Amino acid sequence: MATVPVPAPEQEKLVRTWETAPGVYGWCATVDHKQIGIRYLVTSIVFLLLGGVEALTLRIQLAQPNLKFLAPEQYDQLFSMHGVTMIFLYALPVLSGFSNYLWPLMLGSRDMAFPRLNALSYWLYLFSGIFLYVGLPLGQAPNGGWFNYVPYTSSEYDPGINIDIFALGLIFLGISTVVGSANFVVTLLRTRAPGMSINRMPILVWGTMTASVANLFAVPALSLACFMLWLDRNFGTSFFAVRGGGQPLLWQHLFWSFGHPWVYALVLPSMGIVSDALPVFCRRPLVGYTAVALATVTTMVIGFGVWVHHMFATGLPTMAISFFSAASIIIAVPSAIAVFAWIATIWTGRPVFKVPFLYFAGFILLFVIGGVSGFMTASAALDWQLTDTYFVVAHLHYVLLGINLFPVLGGLVYWFPKFSGRMMDERLGRWAFWIMFIGFNLAFFPMHIVGLEGMPRRIYTYPADLGVGGWNLLITIGAFMLASGILLFLYNLVRSLSVGEVAGPNPWDAPTLEWSTSSPPPPQNFDIIPIIASRHPLWEDRLEDVEDRSQLTTGYLLDHGRETIGTTPLDAEPNVILRMPGDSLLPLCLAVATSVLFFALLSKLWLIAGLGFAAALVTLILWFAPEPLADPEHPRLYA
Amino acid sequence: MIRARWILSCPALALTGCASLPLSYLDSTAPVGGRIAQLGWGMLIISVVVVLIIAGLLVAAIWRGSTEVDGRELAVRRDTGGMRWIYVGVGISSAVLAISAIWTLLTLKAVAQPASGAAPLTIGIVAHQWWWQADYRPSQAQGNFTTANEVHIPVGVPVRFELRSADVIHSFWVPKLAGKTDVIPGRTNSMWVEARQPGIYRGQCAEYCGIEHALMSFRVIAEPIDRFRSWQAAELSGRSPQQGSASAQGAAIFAAHCGACHAMRGTEAGGAYGPDLTNLGSRTTLAAGMIQNTPRNLAYWIRHAQEVKPGARMPNVPLSDADVAKLVPYLEAR
């Protein structure tokens, strides 16, 4: 135990212990969750821009009937890469960026439970993203859409390397997702500050935990399906090939039993961002914390039982369809809980119209529109008309952009002071929000209408007599407006890094633990590990019904090398001291070895693939070798 | 000019459900499609009302609280009636959701099969990259015939489609008659439709199936039963060998350049890779519904298929002007 202020020498010792080595070595070897979080955010936004450029290119082609701006094959590769990029390389990784940066800060920990695994998951993400993109400049990018239905994607109908890139790339990325998820789950369960029992965690933490547990179950289905497809394509197996007794529908079941939980994994953490940050701008705690937390988990549980609603038109028995249709309609109940909790929070609070509030309030509207269109597609009989039309395209963009992108941008504005120590400009921020919000609705709302008018999705052109040329022009204009809003947002962000107003530790007067450290936080996050007594440690003195007092100035110093506290999963009672690793090149080495393996498999260079695999094994052996103690004079007992 | 027409027509179309558009389905009056359209309108209205209510509440909540306060003020107690919002809101939502689920299940049951139990007419559909084959088997005695991209059905009679794929997954969709049914290799899916009104109903492949997925359309032509019967009889009689030298030359060109892929009943040409071209002259469109079937379009299509429909399995056939001039009348003759 120590009391604050921590004496300067102790503080310096902590900084020295935790800071990343300077220079190129440090850049490659860092395991600091904050640096990794920023890398995740930057990389995923680069992919967002790539996917956005692809989308704009598609929209030029569709602006009017019978245009010849893109050849059909170019269109197919671009729409496939747009989907793969946005869903796999932007939407989840950007949330991992928030979680990586913020979790330890919100939980009162010094790092993630497995810092080196954290670095590994980032490097794997980066390299698998590059892997998925190698085909595009060669005109050989994946061209089967993001759900890649066989047999169109079998070697018989699609003989190039396009689909091998997809299959291997997603297995590759899946490793990153799984190690990242495992790390999140353990971090959440074991490294919360003492006293932060499970009912005192921020909702974002609930969202990421739920998503991470789901990923551990869902991603293997995708990896398996992709592996089977790769075998079918390259070694003549017949998992999906009718000729050898395989079943094309097996792919759809495997893919969607992954895919549907996955789309919830893309939105639950961002709903958590709103649940945590919206109340700050309503100047009161969230209404119905327990209900919202349980709704998060419930959504995911039901979410594992609705995958067949992507397959209503495949000719399955009516009985099965009825069950999945009803389940898909009922899954709206937990979402309704969240929506009414947010509205009640605004209603009973006092809204402060800062830019993040605009994003969160706008998000609620988009969430509801995406929700009701989801409710319509959940109705199996109606879905026989709606599926594979632009109505579904409208729905999924309202859901994925509305529920992922808007909270993410709001979250970026909200936590920007914590990341950088400076505020983003309010005036530019308002402009960017309104341009984006109007552009988004211009681009995606009319898609509902052209969908109801029968425009199929995934078509590179359409005849004039379909009668949707005017709407499509409007959609294209809206898409460019949305893009310009995003560029303005990023301009504001980059500009504010150097000229933004200096923020201080807690510029929004927010209640959670990350706002108790300096902005940006020191390498060790907290000089002492705090002891938590309520859900809102920084609001305790002002909330009428909170009598407990968290101790932010008294707690565990833990300065024998890199240490943090390990606590029990439910009640967060401290029971071990965790010894944390320092800078290490092993994550980068393992990721490079894995990349060699996957690039060699793609090129069918089996010997090099074997070498890559062997190098990965050697790296793992080094990884597991015990490190010497930091202070052999005073050995400490670790978990 | 197109723009001006669009500006005038759009709001009206959006309100009326776009009655005139070829693939819109909320105006369907067919037994299956109409039942689904009712459900569609119902759920659409529920959805719009929900969005309006929530948007209203959201605006009211923001407006209500937006007093000029010091942003740092923190005075609200936790239990200021917030939970009541959740109880009431979720209670109402659950009831609406439950009703919608039941309505969906009733609709599913109602459209599962024709009221009469079984459909008297069955048509086999085989989907190909990127066109549709229709197999008619009127009876054992009369024999079979095959046509492409234009499916004739009688009005007022439930028709069952047996859907098979020759290659990849497609989806058979005639929006004004019924919803989609996927066409999956290795499986035979089936669906039924019934047309109340005679007319031409547009159809479209709805599952992404490769580079010409966009242009894989077809037509369902619903005719009164007697006209359907005479069409069927004409098809069954097939093609009788044409008289005259021009026609004979056309037949020779067809046999030499087209017969490997296309069939023509009554001749030696029996290719099964492309559409059966018997009675091509009776079809209204070419290239899976893409262009009107006129002699000029046909001549262009034969020699420039890859420009009309890039990536189609039909190659540009290198024929001289003179050969085309003989082949086209042969194909268009009835």
Side-chain angles (χ1 to χ4, degrees), chain A residues 73 76 143 150 157 283-284 313-314 347 350 375 379 384-385 387-388 451 453 458 460 465-466 544 546, chain B residues 18 22 25 43 64 69 71 73 77-78 80 85 104 167 173 175 180 182 189 202 206 208 211-213:
Chain A
E73 175 63 21
D76 293 347
N143 56 358
V150 289
Y157 299 102
R283 313 310 304 151
R284 60 151 299 155
T314 55
W347 187 280
R350 289 174 166 241
F375 151 79
S379 170
W384 287 335
Q385 294 284 22
T387 186
D388 283 317
E453 287 170 351
R458 303 185 157 186
Y460 74 87
D465 72 350
L466 218 56
E544 294 177 12
V546 176
Chain B
C18 317
Y25 40 83
M43 298 197 66
R64 182 178 175 272
V69 292
E73 187 178 313
R77 284 194 317 277
R78 226 175 275 197
T80 44
W85 279 85
T104 297
D167 36 54
W173 186 35
K180 301 169 188 78
D182 290 352
N189 276 342
R202 283 273 283 273
Y208 172 63
I211 65 173
E212 281 307 342
H213 164 62

Side-chain angles (χ1 to χ4, degrees), chain A residues 264-281:
Chain A
Y264 284 113
L266 303 182
V267 298
L268 291 176
S270 51
M271 288 161 69
I273 290 177
V274 176
S275 296
D276 285 337
L278 176 72
V280 175
F281 297 91

Side-chain angles (χ1 to χ4, degrees), chain A residues 10-331:
Chain A
E10 300 289 326
Q11 216 172 11
E12 270 165 38
K13 184 180 171 195
L14 278 171
V15 171
R16 256 199 331 276
T17 310
W18 283 90
E19 78 188 344
T20 299
V24 178
Y25 170 77
W27 195 83
C28 295
T30 185
V31 293
D32 182 344
H33 71 97
K34 297 183 288 298
Q35 294 200 26
I36 293 168
I38 295 291
R39 284 176 192 184
Y40 257 108
L41 289 172
V42 170
T43 312
S44 59
I45 286 171
V46 169
F47 279 119
L48 173 75
L49 294 177
L50 279 173
V53 169
E54 287 154 5
L56 294 180
T57 318
L58 300 174
R59 279 320 312 175
I60 294 174
Q61 165 68 15
L62 291 177
Q64 284 288 281
N66 300 318
L67 290 187
K68 292 201 160 58
F69 177 70
L70 291 172
E73 175 63 21
Q74 291 173 323
Y75 185 91
D76 293 347
Q77 293 190 17
L78 282 174
F79 89 70
S80 303
M81 286 310 290
H82 169 70
V84 166
T85 304
M86 293 306 202
I87 288 174
F88 294 110
L89 300 177
Y90 157 73
L92 193 77
V94 78
L95 298 174
S96 300
F98 280 106
S99 308
N100 263 308
Y101 194 102
L102 295 169
W103 263 33
L105 290 166
M106 282 185 161
L107 299 178
S109 170
R110 289 203 170 130
D111 205 324
M112 302 279 288
F114 304 114
R116 291 185 302 190
L117 207 56
N118 207 21
L120 174 68
S121 91
Y122 172 74
W123 291 119
L124 288 174
Y125 156 56
L126 177 66
F127 294 152
S128 61
I130 294 170
F131 183 92
L132 281 163
Y133 261 86
V134 286
L136 195 60
L138 310 171
Q140 294 279 310
N143 56 358
W146 79 275
F147 42 79
N148 202 59
Y149 277 0
V150 289
Y152 175 61
T153 53
S154 65
S155 52
E156 193 179 347
Y157 299 102
D158 204 342
I161 60 163
N162 316 54
I163 303 298
D164 290 323
I165 294 175
F166 177 91
L168 291 172
L170 288 190
I171 298 173
F172 191 176
L173 177 66
I175 304 172
S176 160
T177 311
V178 167
V179 298
S181 300
N183 197 2
F184 284 141
V185 172
V186 178
T187 301
L188 159 83
L189 292 176
R190 296 291 277 137
T191 67
R192 300 198 306 270
M196 188 183 284
S197 53
I198 201 155
N199 58 343
R200 289 174 184 160
M201 302 189 308
I203 298 281
L204 170 59
V205 176
W206 276 101
T208 316
M209 175 200 69
T210 309
S212 303
V213 172
N215 281 338
L216 290 179
F217 287 99
V219 172
L222 174 70
S223 305
L224 177 68
C226 285
F227 183 60
M228 287 154 78
L229 177 62
W230 184 68
L231 291 179
D232 269 14
R233 289 178 56 86
N234 294 286
F235 298 95
T237 56
S238 300
F239 292 107
F240 308 118
V242 176
R243 196 171 292 162
Q247 271 290 350
L249 273 186
L250 176 62
W251 169 271
Q252 298 190 19
H253 281 292
L254 285 172
F255 188 90
W256 291 120
S257 64
F258 148 79
H260 205 79
W262 176 268
V263 298
Y264 284 113
L266 303 182
V267 298
L268 291 176
S270 51
M271 288 161 69
I273 290 177
V274 176
S275 296
D276 285 337
L278 176 72
V280 175
F281 297 91
C282 297
R283 313 310 304 151
R284 60 151 299 155
L286 178 71
V287 171
Y289 169 92
T290 311
V292 174
L294 292 179
T296 305
V297 178
T298 311
T299 303
M300 202 71 229
V301 172
I302 307 177
F304 271 93
V306 297
W307 80 92
V308 168
H309 72 211
H310 297 273
M311 301 166 61
F312 281 153
T314 55
L316 294 172
T318 314
M319 188 66 198
I321 285 177
S322 304
F323 167 79
F324 282 99
S325 183
S328 306
I329 292 175
I330 297 309
I331 201 170

